[in-house]
PDB file of all heavy atoms in Angstrom:
ATOM      1  N   GLN Z 287      -6.693  -6.523   4.868  1.00  0.00           N
ATOM      2  CA  GLN Z 287      -5.968  -7.273   3.764  1.00  0.00           C
ATOM      3  C   GLN Z 287      -6.371  -8.736   3.747  1.00  0.00           C
ATOM      4  O   GLN Z 287      -6.532  -9.312   2.653  1.00  0.00           O
ATOM      5  CB  GLN Z 287      -4.460  -7.156   3.925  1.00  0.00           C
ATOM      6  CG  GLN Z 287      -3.850  -5.983   3.276  1.00  0.00           C
ATOM      7  CD  GLN Z 287      -2.364  -6.080   3.161  1.00  0.00           C
ATOM      8  OE1 GLN Z 287      -1.658  -6.519   4.124  1.00  0.00           O
ATOM      9  NE2 GLN Z 287      -1.822  -5.765   2.026  1.00  0.00           N
ATOM     10  N   VAL Z 293      -7.280  -1.509  -0.914  1.00  0.00           N
ATOM     11  CA  VAL Z 293      -6.174  -1.318  -1.872  1.00  0.00           C
ATOM     12  C   VAL Z 293      -5.098  -0.515  -1.131  1.00  0.00           C
ATOM     13  O   VAL Z 293      -5.377   0.545  -0.590  1.00  0.00           O
ATOM     14  CB  VAL Z 293      -6.615  -0.595  -3.164  1.00  0.00           C
ATOM     15  CG1 VAL Z 293      -5.463  -0.300  -4.026  1.00  0.00           C
ATOM     16  CG2 VAL Z 293      -7.691  -1.440  -3.877  1.00  0.00           C
ATOM     17  N   VAL Z 294      -3.889  -1.104  -1.061  1.00  0.00           N
ATOM     18  CA  VAL Z 294      -2.775  -0.485  -0.340  1.00  0.00           C
ATOM     19  C   VAL Z 294      -1.851   0.221  -1.385  1.00  0.00           C
ATOM     20  O   VAL Z 294      -1.439  -0.388  -2.369  1.00  0.00           O
ATOM     21  CB  VAL Z 294      -2.017  -1.546   0.428  1.00  0.00           C
ATOM     22  CG1 VAL Z 294      -0.817  -0.871   1.205  1.00  0.00           C
ATOM     23  CG2 VAL Z 294      -2.901  -2.278   1.404  1.00  0.00           C
ATOM     24  N   HIS Z 307       8.422  -3.530   0.483  1.00  0.00           N
ATOM     25  CA  HIS Z 307       7.084  -2.999   0.494  1.00  0.00           C
ATOM     26  C   HIS Z 307       6.125  -3.990   1.051  1.00  0.00           C
ATOM     27  O   HIS Z 307       6.422  -5.168   1.199  1.00  0.00           O
ATOM     28  CB  HIS Z 307       6.642  -2.580  -0.925  1.00  0.00           C
ATOM     29  CG  HIS Z 307       6.627  -3.663  -1.939  1.00  0.00           C
ATOM     30  ND1 HIS Z 307       7.728  -4.059  -2.689  1.00  0.00           N
ATOM     31  CD2 HIS Z 307       5.654  -4.535  -2.364  1.00  0.00           C
ATOM     32  CE1 HIS Z 307       7.458  -5.042  -3.473  1.00  0.00           C
ATOM     33  NE2 HIS Z 307       6.194  -5.351  -3.307  1.00  0.00           N
ATOM     34  N   ILE Z 308       4.941  -3.493   1.459  1.00  0.00           N
ATOM     35  CA  ILE Z 308       3.906  -4.354   1.928  1.00  0.00           C
ATOM     36  C   ILE Z 308       3.401  -5.242   0.821  1.00  0.00           C
ATOM     37  O   ILE Z 308       3.112  -4.674  -0.265  1.00  0.00           O
ATOM     38  CB  ILE Z 308       2.784  -3.553   2.574  1.00  0.00           C
ATOM     39  CG1 ILE Z 308       3.334  -2.780   3.854  1.00  0.00           C
ATOM     40  CG2 ILE Z 308       1.605  -4.385   2.936  1.00  0.00           C
ATOM     41  CD1 ILE Z 308       2.340  -1.760   4.449  1.00  0.00           C
ATOM     42  N   LYS Z 309       3.344  -6.476   1.050  1.00  0.00           N
ATOM     43  CA  LYS Z 309       2.875  -7.450   0.038  1.00  0.00           C
ATOM     44  C   LYS Z 309       1.530  -6.981  -0.530  1.00  0.00           C
ATOM     45  O   LYS Z 309       0.583  -6.724   0.230  1.00  0.00           O
ATOM     46  CB  LYS Z 309       2.820  -8.840   0.604  1.00  0.00           C
ATOM     47  CG  LYS Z 309       2.525  -9.861  -0.485  1.00  0.00           C
ATOM     48  CD  LYS Z 309       2.613 -11.299   0.049  1.00  0.00           C
ATOM     49  CE  LYS Z 309       2.497 -12.263  -1.095  1.00  0.00           C
ATOM     50  NZ  LYS Z 309       2.704 -13.623  -0.651  1.00  0.00           N
ATOM     51  N   GLY Z 310       1.435  -6.897  -1.861  1.00  0.00           N
ATOM     52  CA  GLY Z 310       0.221  -6.511  -2.512  1.00  0.00           C
ATOM     53  C   GLY Z 310       0.064  -4.980  -2.721  1.00  0.00           C
ATOM     54  O   GLY Z 310      -0.880  -4.537  -3.383  1.00  0.00           O
ATOM     55  N   ALA Z 311       1.000  -4.195  -2.192  1.00  0.00           N
ATOM     56  CA  ALA Z 311       0.906  -2.782  -2.332  1.00  0.00           C
ATOM     57  C   ALA Z 311       1.209  -2.371  -3.778  1.00  0.00           C
ATOM     58  O   ALA Z 311       1.933  -3.046  -4.513  1.00  0.00           O
ATOM     59  CB  ALA Z 311       1.926  -2.084  -1.375  1.00  0.00           C
ATOM     60  N   ILE Z 312       0.587  -1.229  -4.173  1.00  0.00           N
ATOM     61  CA  ILE Z 312       0.812  -0.664  -5.514  1.00  0.00           C
ATOM     62  C   ILE Z 312       1.659   0.614  -5.352  1.00  0.00           C
ATOM     63  O   ILE Z 312       1.262   1.499  -4.561  1.00  0.00           O
ATOM     64  CB  ILE Z 312      -0.554  -0.313  -6.087  1.00  0.00           C
ATOM     65  CG1 ILE Z 312      -1.347  -1.594  -6.284  1.00  0.00           C
ATOM     66  CG2 ILE Z 312      -0.355   0.421  -7.450  1.00  0.00           C
ATOM     67  CD1 ILE Z 312      -2.830  -1.336  -6.486  1.00  0.00           C
ATOM     68  N   VAL Z 377       7.957  -7.559   1.477  1.00  0.00           N
ATOM     69  CA  VAL Z 377       8.620  -8.265   0.410  1.00  0.00           C
ATOM     70  C   VAL Z 377       9.517  -7.326  -0.358  1.00  0.00           C
ATOM     71  O   VAL Z 377       9.337  -6.094  -0.298  1.00  0.00           O
ATOM     72  CB  VAL Z 377       7.571  -8.961  -0.528  1.00  0.00           C
ATOM     73  CG1 VAL Z 377       6.811 -10.043   0.205  1.00  0.00           C
ATOM     74  CG2 VAL Z 377       6.691  -7.902  -1.181  1.00  0.00           C
ATOM     75  N   GLN Z 381       9.151 -10.250  -4.783  1.00  0.00           N
ATOM     76  CA  GLN Z 381       8.054 -10.741  -3.925  1.00  0.00           C
ATOM     77  C   GLN Z 381       8.528 -11.726  -2.881  1.00  0.00           C
ATOM     78  O   GLN Z 381       7.738 -12.483  -2.356  1.00  0.00           O
ATOM     79  CB  GLN Z 381       6.907 -11.293  -4.783  1.00  0.00           C
ATOM     80  CG  GLN Z 381       6.328 -10.338  -5.732  1.00  0.00           C
ATOM     81  CD  GLN Z 381       5.778  -9.060  -5.040  1.00  0.00           C
ATOM     82  OE1 GLN Z 381       5.025  -9.142  -4.120  1.00  0.00           O
ATOM     83  NE2 GLN Z 381       6.287  -7.880  -5.428  1.00  0.00           N
TER      84      GLN Z 381
END
Side-chain angles (χ1 to χ4, degrees):
Q287 272 195 316
V293 173
V294 181
H307 59 273
I308 294 173
K309 189 173 184 174
I312 298 163
V377 297
Q381 300 305 305

